[in-house]
Amino acid sequence: MTKSAFIAITGRPNAGKSSLMNLLVGEKVAIVSEKPQTTRTKINGILTKGDTQYVFIDTPGMHRPRTKLSEEMIKSVKNSMEDVDVAILMTDATKRISKTEEELIESFRSRKLNVILLINKVDLLKDKSELLSVIDRLSKLYDFSEIIPISVRNRVNTELILPA
């Protein structure tokens, strides 16, 4: 019997969400760019491992909407989390948590959603001891199922994301 898991990949623009999805699925299904808001609608990627099918939903980056397009992108993120089993919150280790990320965490709380926190770009931290304070600060915001410091670009700890 095949099991399926629907997983929303959420976070701020340029946190590495599309790069993560491409890595997890094993092929390029999402555009990766330095330009914020490259992902404008949700993109699905599917990975079958054993008898489990993972359906990843790459969402547009959470940001303050300034245009009608921005509003639609934010609505797309919120709608994509309606029926997911798990959410991944992708943060950038080099940036402080934003107001929009805090609002996203509030929406997790209201849904009592299982959330895995991925702290991406740890390779860019000049002082690796900063990572402990980043983890400490973020762990106080939500009861995350797991917190994994990663670097998608350099494949650091990415093997820890999915069960073996």
Side-chain angles (χ1 to χ4, degrees):
M1 183 172 108
T2 303
K3 296 177 285 203
S4 61
F6 289 82
I7 304 160
I9 303 173
T10 65
R12 68 168 27 157
N14 286 73
K17 298 177 301 297
S18 296
S19 296
L20 175 69
M21 182 154 94
N22 290 341
L23 174 72
L24 293 173
V25 173
E27 62 183 279
K28 188 169 182 166
V29 292
I31 299 170
V32 175
S33 166
E34 296 295 315
K35 185 174 177 253
Q37 278 92 52
T38 300
T39 303
R40 294 182 176 215
T41 60
K42 64 183 184 178
I43 298 169
N44 293 343
I46 300 171
L47 169 68
T48 303
K49 250 181 119 171
D51 64 349
T52 304
Q53 196 168 57
Y54 298 94
V55 180
F56 297 101
I57 305 159
D58 181 17
T59 63
M62 287 296 289
H63 60 282
R64 288 260 171 252
R66 292 183 179 86
T67 64
K68 278 287 184 205
L69 176 61
S70 290
E71 285 177 28
E72 289 304 313
M73 289 164 59
I74 297 303
K75 215 183 287 180
S76 170
V77 173
K78 291 178 178 167
N79 291 342
S80 65
M81 291 193 316
E82 289 299 318
D83 298 315
V84 298
D85 301 303
V86 176
I88 291 174
L89 174 59
M90 191 95 167
T91 62
D92 182 330
T94 66
K95 294 184 167 57
R96 294 203 58 84
I97 197 95
S98 69
K99 187 78 179 143
T100 51
E101 286 169 307
E102 288 175 4
E103 290 169 7
L104 192 53
I105 290 169
E106 268 313 305
S107 73
F108 297 153
R109 190 171 284 113
S110 69
R111 289 189 176 92
K112 297 179 175 66
L113 196 57
N114 282 329
V115 182
I116 298 168
L117 174 64
L118 298 181
I119 304 171
N120 193 25
K121 304 184 184 184
V122 295
D123 53 311
L124 300 180
L125 289 175
K126 288 169 183 49
D127 178 2
K128 299 299 182 218
S129 67
E130 288 177 45
L131 184 56
L132 295 175
S133 65
V134 170
I135 290 170
D136 182 55
R137 192 170 53 247
L138 293 172
S139 67
K140 291 176 180 164
L141 297 176
Y142 193 76
D143 185 17
F144 295 102
S145 305
E146 285 190 61
I147 298 175
I148 308 171
I150 65 168
S151 167
V152 173
R153 178 173 284 161
N154 294 327
R155 308 294 189 259
V156 174
N157 291 336
T158 53
E159 75 284 356
L160 302 175
I161 299 169
L162 288 175

